[in-house]
Amino acid sequence: MRILVTGGAGFIGSHYVRSLLAGEYTGGAPVAVTVLDALTYAGRRGNIPADGLDFVHGDVCDLPLLLDLFPGHDAVVHFAAESHVDRSVVSGVEFARSNVQGSQAVLEAALRSGVPRVVHVSTDEVYGSIERGSWTEEYPLLPNSPYAASKAGSDLLARAYWRTHGLNVSVTRCSNNYGPYQHAEKLIPRFITRLLRGATVPLYGSGRNVREWLHVADHCRAVHHVLTGGRAGEIYHVGGGEERTNLEVAQRLAALCGADPGLIRHVTDRKGHDLRYSLDDSKIRRELGYAPRIAFEDGLRSTVDWYREHTEWWAAPAAQGPDPDPLPHPVTSPRARTGQLP
Ligand code: NAD
């Protein structure tokens, strides 16, 4: 089996690639892997092994490149996206380009190249916010951030390529991921890397916003379940089942980092900040026999240990986003991230 992984140098994609190469989903049997990644600020070649895979530095919006690359692959797993909500609040341009146009190009190239199977990786944020209960796969899409809207657009394109052309594509929608190799701009690594340095952590608003946490290893295993057993045109939720307020997460991280909880500072809330996300993931459990294995407390502890032991991975300013230290707002200009400041 030869699998092409887009965004395979980012946080989740690189975990999936490392797992494939280690034969984790195939009883140790090797899987041939091609990674396509534009190596934006969020992607690093060093996140995946130097050898044992084909790496292509390229853009998912580049249809001629995709048409060159896709033939001969048995599957495409599409992770590549702009993924940080805060950046999409500053500017949605790159989100519309990479997430919508890029996904359309991936679907089109898969269709024209005769790739027999595609998994499109998406997010629970396409549903907006839910105060009580959990979303099933039938809920209407009500995205609130430009990031979520761009992912919703790509999900609809995936459905359209299945319905119109019969492309064998499934969509996964997962809750918030955490684990090693996550960019320090995201909530958990941002808090860990600041607490380990004795710096204050900025908590949006009251900190009452609830997120459902999913370890990246569980998410990637679920994606592979969907790749091998999921049905065409279907959506599968991947939830972690572990809901926490952001304040609870910050307090637990302070304890695990051995830091003063007084470092947690409430800052002006994010615009349009969703209050709660919660997925009903009974479909993937029932149909594909998947269930998460990593309890949040264990996963959080091992994630803190990983960041403690890999300071070289995150301590360089470039690894933390454009402006990591001043509070409350880490994001300055969307152009700063690519070093394209005038
Ligand atoms: P990430 O930002 O860590 O990695 C994204 C990767 O995609 C990077 O390697 C980047 O270089 C690459 N990329 C971006 N634009 C590209 C383009 N135009 N062409 C080629 N490569 C490009 O993101 P992540 O957290 O690993 O998320 C992966 C996927 O999972 C995304 O589709 C995201 O929407 C989805 N998701 C993430 C989470 C989460 O909690 N991190 C939750 C739900 C869904």
mmCIF file of all heavy atoms in Angstrom, residues 117 127 134-139 159 162 169-173 212 222 225-226 229-240 278-292:
data_model
loop_
_atom_site.group_PDB
_atom_site.id
_atom_site.type_symbol
_atom_site.label_atom_id
_atom_site.label_comp_id
_atom_site.label_asym_id
_atom_site.label_seq_id
_atom_site.Cartn_x
_atom_site.Cartn_y
_atom_site.Cartn_z
ATOM 1 N N ARG A 117 -8.923 5.833 -2.838
ATOM 2 C CA ARG A 117 -9.451 6.132 -1.497
ATOM 3 C C ARG A 117 -8.877 7.453 -0.991
ATOM 4 O O ARG A 117 -7.661 7.701 -1.108
ATOM 5 C CB ARG A 117 -9.029 4.999 -0.550
ATOM 6 C CG ARG A 117 -9.534 5.149 0.864
ATOM 7 C CD ARG A 117 -10.975 4.695 0.982
ATOM 8 N NE ARG A 117 -11.477 4.860 2.331
ATOM 9 C CZ ARG A 117 -12.476 5.681 2.667
ATOM 10 N NH1 ARG A 117 -13.104 6.384 1.748
ATOM 11 N NH2 ARG A 117 -12.888 5.783 3.912
ATOM 12 N N TYR A 127 -19.197 22.994 13.378
ATOM 13 C CA TYR A 127 -20.564 23.069 13.911
ATOM 14 C C TYR A 127 -20.818 24.331 14.722
ATOM 15 O O TYR A 127 -21.955 24.555 15.149
ATOM 16 C CB TYR A 127 -20.840 21.864 14.807
ATOM 17 C CG TYR A 127 -20.767 20.533 14.105
ATOM 18 C CD1 TYR A 127 -19.768 19.620 14.424
ATOM 19 C CD2 TYR A 127 -21.694 20.182 13.127
ATOM 20 C CE1 TYR A 127 -19.693 18.388 13.791
ATOM 21 C CE2 TYR A 127 -21.623 18.952 12.488
ATOM 22 C CZ TYR A 127 -20.621 18.057 12.818
ATOM 23 O OH TYR A 127 -20.556 16.849 12.186
ATOM 24 N N SER A 134 -24.296 16.836 22.610
ATOM 25 C CA SER A 134 -23.169 16.636 21.693
ATOM 26 C C SER A 134 -23.670 16.594 20.259
ATOM 27 O O SER A 134 -24.789 16.156 19.998
ATOM 28 C CB SER A 134 -22.463 15.315 22.013
ATOM 29 O OG SER A 134 -22.028 15.299 23.348
ATOM 30 N N TRP A 135 -22.813 16.997 19.327
ATOM 31 C CA TRP A 135 -23.189 16.964 17.914
ATOM 32 C C TRP A 135 -23.097 15.543 17.364
ATOM 33 O O TRP A 135 -22.116 14.831 17.630
ATOM 34 C CB TRP A 135 -22.218 17.810 17.087
ATOM 35 C CG TRP A 135 -22.241 19.270 17.335
ATOM 36 C CD1 TRP A 135 -23.274 20.128 17.145
ATOM 37 C CD2 TRP A 135 -21.132 20.071 17.786
ATOM 38 N NE1 TRP A 135 -22.887 21.416 17.435
ATOM 39 C CE2 TRP A 135 -21.588 21.410 17.829
ATOM 40 C CE3 TRP A 135 -19.814 19.794 18.132
ATOM 41 C CZ2 TRP A 135 -20.763 22.463 18.224
ATOM 42 C CZ3 TRP A 135 -18.998 20.830 18.521
ATOM 43 C CH2 TRP A 135 -19.470 22.151 18.575
ATOM 44 N N THR A 136 -24.094 15.166 16.564
ATOM 45 C CA THR A 136 -23.944 13.962 15.737
ATOM 46 C C THR A 136 -23.484 14.438 14.358
ATOM 47 O O THR A 136 -23.465 15.641 14.074
ATOM 48 C CB THR A 136 -25.283 13.210 15.580
ATOM 49 O OG1 THR A 136 -26.192 14.099 14.897
ATOM 50 C CG2 THR A 136 -25.854 12.812 16.924
ATOM 51 N N GLU A 137 -23.183 13.481 13.489
ATOM 52 C CA GLU A 137 -22.684 13.819 12.149
ATOM 53 C C GLU A 137 -23.750 14.520 11.300
ATOM 54 O O GLU A 137 -23.436 15.079 10.250
ATOM 55 C CB GLU A 137 -22.208 12.553 11.424
ATOM 56 C CG GLU A 137 -20.863 12.012 11.889
ATOM 57 C CD GLU A 137 -20.937 11.114 13.127
ATOM 58 O OE1 GLU A 137 -22.032 11.005 13.730
ATOM 59 O OE2 GLU A 137 -19.896 10.544 13.494
ATOM 60 N N GLU A 138 -25.011 14.486 11.756
ATOM 61 C CA GLU A 138 -26.097 15.107 10.960
ATOM 62 C C GLU A 138 -26.321 16.568 11.305
ATOM 63 O O GLU A 138 -27.156 17.226 10.681
ATOM 64 C CB GLU A 138 -27.416 14.356 11.178
ATOM 65 C CG GLU A 138 -27.503 13.027 10.445
ATOM 66 C CD GLU A 138 -26.663 11.956 11.098
ATOM 67 O OE1 GLU A 138 -26.674 11.895 12.337
ATOM 68 O OE2 GLU A 138 -25.973 11.225 10.371
ATOM 69 N N TYR A 139 -25.650 17.095 12.292
ATOM 70 C CA TYR A 139 -25.897 18.480 12.698
ATOM 71 C C TYR A 139 -25.566 19.457 11.568
ATOM 72 O O TYR A 139 -24.645 19.216 10.788
ATOM 73 C CB TYR A 139 -25.047 18.823 13.926
ATOM 74 C CG TYR A 139 -25.843 18.796 15.214
ATOM 75 C CD1 TYR A 139 -26.313 17.590 15.733
ATOM 76 C CD2 TYR A 139 -26.144 19.970 15.893
ATOM 77 C CE1 TYR A 139 -27.053 17.560 16.896
ATOM 78 C CE2 TYR A 139 -26.885 19.944 17.062
ATOM 79 C CZ TYR A 139 -27.339 18.733 17.565
ATOM 80 O OH TYR A 139 -28.074 18.703 18.713
ATOM 81 N N ARG A 159 -17.903 16.180 0.130
ATOM 82 C CA ARG A 159 -19.207 15.549 -0.093
ATOM 83 C C ARG A 159 -19.614 15.654 -1.572
ATOM 84 O O ARG A 159 -20.093 14.691 -2.177
ATOM 85 C CB ARG A 159 -20.269 16.216 0.782
ATOM 86 C CG ARG A 159 -21.640 15.633 0.578
ATOM 87 C CD ARG A 159 -22.756 16.413 1.228
ATOM 88 N NE ARG A 159 -23.957 16.279 0.421
ATOM 89 C CZ ARG A 159 -24.728 15.192 0.387
ATOM 90 N NH1 ARG A 159 -24.447 14.152 1.129
ATOM 91 N NH2 ARG A 159 -25.775 15.141 -0.404
ATOM 92 N N TRP A 162 -17.887 13.227 -3.799
ATOM 93 C CA TRP A 162 -18.464 11.876 -3.642
ATOM 94 C C TRP A 162 -19.795 11.794 -4.385
ATOM 95 O O TRP A 162 -20.014 10.899 -5.210
ATOM 96 C CB TRP A 162 -18.659 11.565 -2.150
ATOM 97 C CG TRP A 162 -19.593 10.427 -1.938
ATOM 98 C CD1 TRP A 162 -19.357 9.105 -2.227
ATOM 99 C CD2 TRP A 162 -20.936 10.515 -1.457
ATOM 100 N NE1 TRP A 162 -20.481 8.361 -1.941
ATOM 101 C CE2 TRP A 162 -21.466 9.198 -1.460
ATOM 102 C CE3 TRP A 162 -21.743 11.555 -0.995
ATOM 103 C CZ2 TRP A 162 -22.759 8.919 -1.039
ATOM 104 C CZ3 TRP A 162 -23.029 11.274 -0.571
ATOM 105 C CH2 TRP A 162 -23.527 9.965 -0.598
ATOM 106 N N VAL A 169 -14.433 9.081 -0.904
ATOM 107 C CA VAL A 169 -13.859 9.962 0.118
ATOM 108 C C VAL A 169 -14.716 9.926 1.380
ATOM 109 O O VAL A 169 -15.948 9.918 1.316
ATOM 110 C CB VAL A 169 -13.702 11.418 -0.411
ATOM 111 C CG1 VAL A 169 -14.997 11.998 -0.932
ATOM 112 C CG2 VAL A 169 -13.093 12.332 0.652
ATOM 113 N N SER A 170 -14.034 9.870 2.537
ATOM 114 C CA SER A 170 -14.709 10.009 3.836
ATOM 115 C C SER A 170 -14.122 11.230 4.530
ATOM 116 O O SER A 170 -12.973 11.598 4.293
ATOM 117 C CB SER A 170 -14.466 8.781 4.722
ATOM 118 O OG SER A 170 -14.894 7.600 4.093
ATOM 119 N N VAL A 171 -14.941 11.807 5.422
ATOM 120 C CA VAL A 171 -14.510 12.989 6.178
ATOM 121 C C VAL A 171 -14.444 12.620 7.656
ATOM 122 O O VAL A 171 -15.360 11.978 8.177
ATOM 123 C CB VAL A 171 -15.511 14.151 5.973
ATOM 124 C CG1 VAL A 171 -15.169 15.334 6.878
ATOM 125 C CG2 VAL A 171 -15.538 14.580 4.510
ATOM 126 N N THR A 172 -13.358 13.005 8.329
ATOM 127 C CA THR A 172 -13.294 12.844 9.786
ATOM 128 C C THR A 172 -13.399 14.224 10.422
ATOM 129 O O THR A 172 -12.855 15.198 9.895
ATOM 130 C CB THR A 172 -11.981 12.183 10.246
ATOM 131 O OG1 THR A 172 -10.874 12.982 9.829
ATOM 132 C CG2 THR A 172 -11.838 10.785 9.675
ATOM 133 N N ARG A 173 -14.122 14.300 11.540
ATOM 134 C CA ARG A 173 -14.192 15.558 12.299
ATOM 135 C C ARG A 173 -13.809 15.236 13.738
ATOM 136 O O ARG A 173 -14.506 14.464 14.417
ATOM 137 C CB ARG A 173 -15.602 16.161 12.255
ATOM 138 C CG ARG A 173 -15.964 16.666 10.873
ATOM 139 C CD ARG A 173 -17.313 17.365 10.854
ATOM 140 N NE ARG A 173 -17.622 17.775 9.494
ATOM 141 C CZ ARG A 173 -18.834 17.717 8.945
ATOM 142 N NH1 ARG A 173 -19.869 17.296 9.651
ATOM 143 N NH2 ARG A 173 -19.015 18.104 7.699
ATOM 144 N N GLU A 212 -13.043 19.542 24.186
ATOM 145 C CA GLU A 212 -12.977 18.091 24.362
ATOM 146 C C GLU A 212 -11.614 17.653 23.841
ATOM 147 O O GLU A 212 -11.306 17.880 22.664
ATOM 148 C CB GLU A 212 -14.111 17.441 23.549
ATOM 149 C CG GLU A 212 -14.146 15.940 23.679
ATOM 150 C CD GLU A 212 -15.229 15.320 22.799
ATOM 151 O OE1 GLU A 212 -15.963 16.055 22.110
ATOM 152 O OE2 GLU A 212 -15.313 14.085 22.800
ATOM 153 N N ALA A 222 -7.615 6.607 14.682
ATOM 154 C CA ALA A 222 -8.984 6.713 14.173
ATOM 155 C C ALA A 222 -8.990 7.030 12.676
ATOM 156 O O ALA A 222 -9.780 6.459 11.907
ATOM 157 C CB ALA A 222 -9.736 7.800 14.937
ATOM 158 N N HIS A 225 -8.385 3.908 10.876
ATOM 159 C CA HIS A 225 -9.604 3.079 10.878
ATOM 160 C C HIS A 225 -10.546 3.536 9.767
ATOM 161 O O HIS A 225 -11.124 2.721 9.053
ATOM 162 C CB HIS A 225 -10.347 3.232 12.209
ATOM 163 C CG HIS A 225 -9.926 2.253 13.268
ATOM 164 N ND1 HIS A 225 -10.383 0.964 13.304
ATOM 165 C CD2 HIS A 225 -9.105 2.386 14.329
ATOM 166 C CE1 HIS A 225 -9.864 0.336 14.348
ATOM 167 N NE2 HIS A 225 -9.075 1.187 14.992
ATOM 168 N N VAL A 226 -10.714 4.843 9.654
ATOM 169 C CA VAL A 226 -11.625 5.377 8.628
ATOM 170 C C VAL A 226 -11.055 5.095 7.240
ATOM 171 O O VAL A 226 -11.789 4.697 6.322
ATOM 172 C CB VAL A 226 -11.872 6.889 8.848
ATOM 173 C CG1 VAL A 226 -12.658 7.491 7.681
ATOM 174 C CG2 VAL A 226 -12.609 7.112 10.165
ATOM 175 N N GLY A 229 -11.637 1.248 6.796
ATOM 176 C CA GLY A 229 -12.958 0.648 6.962
ATOM 177 C C GLY A 229 -14.128 1.597 6.760
ATOM 178 O O GLY A 229 -15.275 1.159 6.772
ATOM 179 N N GLY A 230 -13.833 2.890 6.580
ATOM 180 C CA GLY A 230 -14.911 3.873 6.466
ATOM 181 C C GLY A 230 -15.628 3.776 5.128
ATOM 182 O O GLY A 230 -15.071 3.294 4.142
ATOM 183 N N ARG A 231 -16.870 4.258 5.121
ATOM 184 C CA ARG A 231 -17.667 4.192 3.898
ATOM 185 C C ARG A 231 -17.569 5.500 3.113
ATOM 186 O O ARG A 231 -17.469 6.580 3.702
ATOM 187 C CB ARG A 231 -19.130 3.902 4.252
ATOM 188 C CG ARG A 231 -19.351 2.475 4.729
ATOM 189 C CD ARG A 231 -20.792 2.213 5.091
ATOM 190 N NE ARG A 231 -21.197 2.915 6.300
ATOM 191 C CZ ARG A 231 -22.338 3.586 6.428
ATOM 192 N NH1 ARG A 231 -23.170 3.695 5.405
ATOM 193 N NH2 ARG A 231 -22.640 4.185 7.559
ATOM 194 N N ALA A 232 -17.676 5.378 1.795
ATOM 195 C CA ALA A 232 -17.599 6.552 0.924
ATOM 196 C C ALA A 232 -18.731 7.517 1.229
ATOM 197 O O ALA A 232 -19.871 7.097 1.475
ATOM 198 C CB ALA A 232 -17.670 6.107 -0.542
ATOM 199 N N GLY A 233 -18.414 8.804 1.233
ATOM 200 C CA GLY A 233 -19.439 9.833 1.424
ATOM 201 C C GLY A 233 -19.867 10.010 2.871
ATOM 202 O O GLY A 233 -20.755 10.814 3.155
ATOM 203 N N GLU A 234 -19.249 9.266 3.779
ATOM 204 C CA GLU A 234 -19.653 9.334 5.190
ATOM 205 C C GLU A 234 -18.726 10.237 5.994
ATOM 206 O O GLU A 234 -17.552 10.413 5.661
ATOM 207 C CB GLU A 234 -19.622 7.931 5.814
ATOM 208 C CG GLU A 234 -20.671 6.999 5.259
ATOM 209 C CD GLU A 234 -22.091 7.384 5.675
ATOM 210 O OE1 GLU A 234 -22.300 7.790 6.825
ATOM 211 O OE2 GLU A 234 -22.998 7.281 4.817
ATOM 212 N N ILE A 235 -19.298 10.767 7.073
ATOM 213 C CA ILE A 235 -18.546 11.596 8.026
ATOM 214 C C ILE A 235 -18.388 10.782 9.305
ATOM 215 O O ILE A 235 -19.336 10.117 9.734
ATOM 216 C CB ILE A 235 -19.326 12.899 8.318
ATOM 217 C CG1 ILE A 235 -19.495 13.716 7.034
ATOM 218 C CG2 ILE A 235 -18.639 13.726 9.405
ATOM 219 C CD1 ILE A 235 -20.639 14.719 7.112
ATOM 220 N N TYR A 236 -17.222 10.842 9.909
ATOM 221 C CA TYR A 236 -16.992 10.131 11.171
ATOM 222 C C TYR A 236 -16.441 11.095 12.214
ATOM 223 O O TYR A 236 -15.410 11.748 11.979
ATOM 224 C CB TYR A 236 -15.996 8.980 10.966
ATOM 225 C CG TYR A 236 -16.530 7.897 10.066
ATOM 226 C CD1 TYR A 236 -16.325 7.962 8.684
ATOM 227 C CD2 TYR A 236 -17.264 6.833 10.584
ATOM 228 C CE1 TYR A 236 -16.839 6.980 7.838
ATOM 229 C CE2 TYR A 236 -17.776 5.853 9.748
ATOM 230 C CZ TYR A 236 -17.565 5.936 8.382
ATOM 231 O OH TYR A 236 -18.073 4.959 7.543
ATOM 232 N N HIS A 237 -17.095 11.160 13.361
ATOM 233 C CA HIS A 237 -16.581 11.963 14.474
ATOM 234 C C HIS A 237 -15.509 11.192 15.235
ATOM 235 O O HIS A 237 -15.629 9.981 15.427
ATOM 236 C CB HIS A 237 -17.712 12.295 15.444
ATOM 237 C CG HIS A 237 -18.613 13.376 14.935
ATOM 238 N ND1 HIS A 237 -19.785 13.728 15.564
ATOM 239 C CD2 HIS A 237 -18.489 14.197 13.857
ATOM 240 C CE1 HIS A 237 -20.355 14.724 14.898
ATOM 241 N NE2 HIS A 237 -19.588 15.003 13.854
ATOM 242 N N VAL A 238 -14.503 11.934 15.682
ATOM 243 C CA VAL A 238 -13.469 11.353 16.544
ATOM 244 C C VAL A 238 -13.360 12.252 17.768
ATOM 245 O O VAL A 238 -12.757 13.334 17.702
ATOM 246 C CB VAL A 238 -12.094 11.272 15.829
ATOM 247 C CG1 VAL A 238 -11.117 10.485 16.693
ATOM 248 C CG2 VAL A 238 -12.215 10.661 14.438
ATOM 249 N N GLY A 239 -13.963 11.820 18.853
ATOM 250 C CA GLY A 239 -13.935 12.626 20.076
ATOM 251 C C GLY A 239 -13.007 12.003 21.095
ATOM 252 O O GLY A 239 -12.700 10.813 21.027
ATOM 253 N N GLY A 240 -12.580 12.790 22.029
ATOM 254 C CA GLY A 240 -11.736 12.245 23.089
ATOM 255 C C GLY A 240 -12.562 11.890 24.311
ATOM 256 O O GLY A 240 -12.123 11.124 25.177
ATOM 257 N N SER A 278 -18.497 19.642 21.599
ATOM 258 C CA SER A 278 -18.687 18.287 22.123
ATOM 259 C C SER A 278 -19.194 17.370 21.012
ATOM 260 O O SER A 278 -20.222 17.653 20.401
ATOM 261 C CB SER A 278 -19.684 18.305 23.288
ATOM 262 O OG SER A 278 -19.829 17.000 23.807
ATOM 263 N N LEU A 279 -18.473 16.297 20.761
ATOM 264 C CA LEU A 279 -18.828 15.377 19.677
ATOM 265 C C LEU A 279 -19.458 14.101 20.203
ATOM 266 O O LEU A 279 -18.968 13.517 21.180
ATOM 267 C CB LEU A 279 -17.564 14.985 18.900
ATOM 268 C CG LEU A 279 -16.932 16.044 18.008
ATOM 269 C CD1 LEU A 279 -15.601 15.524 17.447
ATOM 270 C CD2 LEU A 279 -17.862 16.436 16.875
ATOM 271 N N ASP A 280 -20.514 13.657 19.535
ATOM 272 C CA ASP A 280 -21.034 12.307 19.744
ATOM 273 C C ASP A 280 -20.270 11.407 18.765
ATOM 274 O O ASP A 280 -20.437 11.537 17.553
ATOM 275 C CB ASP A 280 -22.537 12.310 19.433
ATOM 276 C CG ASP A 280 -23.154 10.920 19.525
ATOM 277 O OD1 ASP A 280 -22.408 9.914 19.441
ATOM 278 O OD2 ASP A 280 -24.385 10.846 19.661
ATOM 279 N N ASP A 281 -19.417 10.537 19.292
ATOM 280 C CA ASP A 281 -18.609 9.714 18.379
ATOM 281 C C ASP A 281 -19.058 8.250 18.377
ATOM 282 O O ASP A 281 -18.267 7.342 18.114
ATOM 283 C CB ASP A 281 -17.116 9.847 18.709
ATOM 284 C CG ASP A 281 -16.775 9.282 20.086
ATOM 285 O OD1 ASP A 281 -17.710 8.871 20.818
ATOM 286 O OD2 ASP A 281 -15.574 9.239 20.427
ATOM 287 N N SER A 282 -20.355 8.027 18.667
ATOM 288 C CA SER A 282 -20.817 6.636 18.733
ATOM 289 C C SER A 282 -20.759 5.939 17.371
ATOM 290 O O SER A 282 -20.608 4.720 17.304
ATOM 291 C CB SER A 282 -22.228 6.570 19.312
ATOM 292 O OG SER A 282 -23.070 7.479 18.666
ATOM 293 N N LYS A 283 -20.811 6.712 16.275
ATOM 294 C CA LYS A 283 -20.802 6.073 14.943
ATOM 295 C C LYS A 283 -19.474 5.349 14.668
ATOM 296 O O LYS A 283 -19.473 4.189 14.259
ATOM 297 C CB LYS A 283 -21.041 7.153 13.880
ATOM 298 C CG LYS A 283 -21.022 6.628 12.454
ATOM 299 C CD LYS A 283 -21.401 7.744 11.495
ATOM 300 C CE LYS A 283 -21.231 7.349 10.053
ATOM 301 N NZ LYS A 283 -21.630 8.438 9.144
ATOM 302 N N ILE A 284 -18.368 6.015 14.918
ATOM 303 C CA ILE A 284 -17.070 5.371 14.630
ATOM 304 C C ILE A 284 -16.822 4.212 15.596
ATOM 305 O O ILE A 284 -16.225 3.198 15.236
ATOM 306 C CB ILE A 284 -15.907 6.399 14.658
ATOM 307 C CG1 ILE A 284 -14.636 5.789 14.065
ATOM 308 C CG2 ILE A 284 -15.634 6.945 16.040
ATOM 309 C CD1 ILE A 284 -13.501 6.789 13.866
ATOM 310 N N ARG A 285 -17.324 4.354 16.821
ATOM 311 C CA ARG A 285 -17.169 3.258 17.790
ATOM 312 C C ARG A 285 -17.975 2.036 17.327
ATOM 313 O O ARG A 285 -17.492 0.908 17.358
ATOM 314 C CB ARG A 285 -17.655 3.708 19.174
ATOM 315 C CG ARG A 285 -16.753 4.744 19.825
ATOM 316 C CD ARG A 285 -17.377 5.246 21.115
ATOM 317 N NE ARG A 285 -16.640 6.337 21.705
ATOM 318 C CZ ARG A 285 -15.851 6.226 22.788
ATOM 319 N NH1 ARG A 285 -15.713 5.088 23.384
ATOM 320 N NH2 ARG A 285 -15.210 7.281 23.264
ATOM 321 N N ARG A 286 -19.195 2.299 16.880
ATOM 322 C CA ARG A 286 -20.112 1.216 16.494
ATOM 323 C C ARG A 286 -19.673 0.571 15.176
ATOM 324 O O ARG A 286 -19.547 -0.638 15.067
ATOM 325 C CB ARG A 286 -21.511 1.821 16.333
ATOM 326 C CG ARG A 286 -22.646 0.841 16.192
ATOM 327 C CD ARG A 286 -23.982 1.575 16.093
ATOM 328 N NE ARG A 286 -24.059 2.493 14.964
ATOM 329 C CZ ARG A 286 -24.161 3.821 15.068
ATOM 330 N NH1 ARG A 286 -24.203 4.397 16.251
ATOM 331 N NH2 ARG A 286 -24.225 4.592 13.978
ATOM 332 N N GLU A 287 -19.382 1.417 14.171
ATOM 333 C CA GLU A 287 -19.124 0.880 12.832
ATOM 334 C C GLU A 287 -17.704 0.375 12.644
ATOM 335 O O GLU A 287 -17.462 -0.578 11.918
ATOM 336 C CB GLU A 287 -19.389 1.974 11.771
ATOM 337 C CG GLU A 287 -20.849 2.248 11.559
ATOM 338 C CD GLU A 287 -21.099 3.109 10.331
ATOM 339 O OE1 GLU A 287 -20.188 3.248 9.481
ATOM 340 O OE2 GLU A 287 -22.211 3.639 10.220
ATOM 341 N N LEU A 288 -16.737 1.047 13.293
ATOM 342 C CA LEU A 288 -15.340 0.715 13.003
ATOM 343 C C LEU A 288 -14.582 0.179 14.215
ATOM 344 O O LEU A 288 -13.387 -0.102 14.132
ATOM 345 C CB LEU A 288 -14.618 1.941 12.429
ATOM 346 C CG LEU A 288 -15.241 2.545 11.160
ATOM 347 C CD1 LEU A 288 -14.468 3.755 10.680
ATOM 348 C CD2 LEU A 288 -15.305 1.498 10.043
ATOM 349 N N GLY A 289 -15.279 0.053 15.341
ATOM 350 C CA GLY A 289 -14.649 -0.532 16.527
ATOM 351 C C GLY A 289 -13.538 0.314 17.114
ATOM 352 O O GLY A 289 -12.648 -0.199 17.800
ATOM 353 N N TYR A 290 -13.596 1.626 16.843
ATOM 354 C CA TYR A 290 -12.556 2.515 17.380
ATOM 355 C C TYR A 290 -12.987 3.093 18.728
ATOM 356 O O TYR A 290 -14.161 3.432 18.923
ATOM 357 C CB TYR A 290 -12.298 3.679 16.403
ATOM 358 C CG TYR A 290 -11.601 4.841 17.094
ATOM 359 C CD1 TYR A 290 -10.231 4.832 17.247
ATOM 360 C CD2 TYR A 290 -12.345 5.886 17.640
ATOM 361 C CE1 TYR A 290 -9.587 5.868 17.932
ATOM 362 C CE2 TYR A 290 -11.712 6.928 18.319
ATOM 363 C CZ TYR A 290 -10.331 6.908 18.453
ATOM 364 O OH TYR A 290 -9.717 7.914 19.134
ATOM 365 N N ALA A 291 -12.043 3.219 19.653
ATOM 366 C CA ALA A 291 -12.272 3.973 20.895
ATOM 367 C C ALA A 291 -10.934 4.580 21.314
ATOM 368 O O ALA A 291 -9.885 3.964 21.112
ATOM 369 C CB ALA A 291 -12.794 3.066 21.996
ATOM 370 N N PRO A 292 -10.965 5.790 21.871
ATOM 371 C CA PRO A 292 -9.694 6.365 22.345
ATOM 372 C C PRO A 292 -9.130 5.529 23.486
ATOM 373 O O PRO A 292 -9.873 4.899 24.234
ATOM 374 C CB PRO A 292 -10.096 7.768 22.823
ATOM 375 C CG PRO A 292 -11.570 7.729 23.024
ATOM 376 C CD PRO A 292 -12.109 6.674 22.120
#
